[in-house]
């Protein structure tokens, strides 16, 4: 499976939306706030950002930091609360 990175592309106008499809997969378009969420391959991220910033209708490009965030919250909420659901499942052998 290919690793991907989300890019938030802020634009002046949405008229050139079709042009952005050649840079990656368009996931979401906000017509009110004028931004596009675009997914590109992880290794092509920097090249895509440079190319997108050169376009005249692009205001700025932000990188999604979601892949960099550790999504394991067991230590944050405490070990008892994290394993409470699993203990309830183990207690009921009928299911």
């Amino acid at each position: 499976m290919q690793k991907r990175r989300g890019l938030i592309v802020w634009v002046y106008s949405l008229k050139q939306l079709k042009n952005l499809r050649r840079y990656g997969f368009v996931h979401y378009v906000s017509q009110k706030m004028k931004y596009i969420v675009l997914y590109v391959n992880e290794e092509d991220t920097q090249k895509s950002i440079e190319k997108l910033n050169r376009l005249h209708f692009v205001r700025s490009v932000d990188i999604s930091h979601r892949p960099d965030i550790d999504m394991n919250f067991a230590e944050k909420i405490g070990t008892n609360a994290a394993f409470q659901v699993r203990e309830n499942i183990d207690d009921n052998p009928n299911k």
Side-chain angles (χ1 to χ4, degrees):
M1 193 158 119
Q2 187 73 273
K3 285 195 161 200
R4 305 187 100 193
R5 177 69 69 142
L7 299 178
I8 295 88
V9 182
W10 297 89
V11 294
Y12 293 107
S13 173
L14 294 173
K15 290 180 183 177
Q16 294 86 2
L17 177 63
K18 288 185 181 179
N19 292 344
L20 291 176
R21 290 184 181 158
R22 71 174 68 151
Y23 296 101
F25 177 73
V26 176
H27 177 70
Y28 179 75
V29 177
S30 172
Q31 295 182 359
K32 183 178 180 182
M33 295 181 65
K34 294 184 181 173
Y35 72 88
I36 293 107
V37 177
L38 187 74
Y39 281 99
V40 296
N41 293 337
E42 186 76 38
E43 61 270 1
D44 300 335
T45 303
Q46 287 301 322
K47 287 192 290 188
S48 297
I49 291 172
E50 292 170 3
K51 288 179 183 178
L52 288 168
N53 278 326
R54 282 190 234 135
L55 298 173
H56 71 281
F57 58 89
V58 173
R59 185 175 296 169
S60 66
V61 179
D62 296 331
I63 302 172
S64 172
H65 298 288
R66 188 170 193 277
D68 302 331
I69 298 171
D70 183 24
M71 299 303 280
N72 185 5
F73 299 110
E75 295 175 1
K76 305 288 188 224
I77 61 174
T79 55
N80 290 337
F83 296 110
Q84 183 176 8
V85 176
R86 186 179 183 123
E87 291 172 3
N88 290 342
I89 292 171
D90 293 340
D91 291 341
N92 191 354
N94 294 335
K95 286 189 175 182

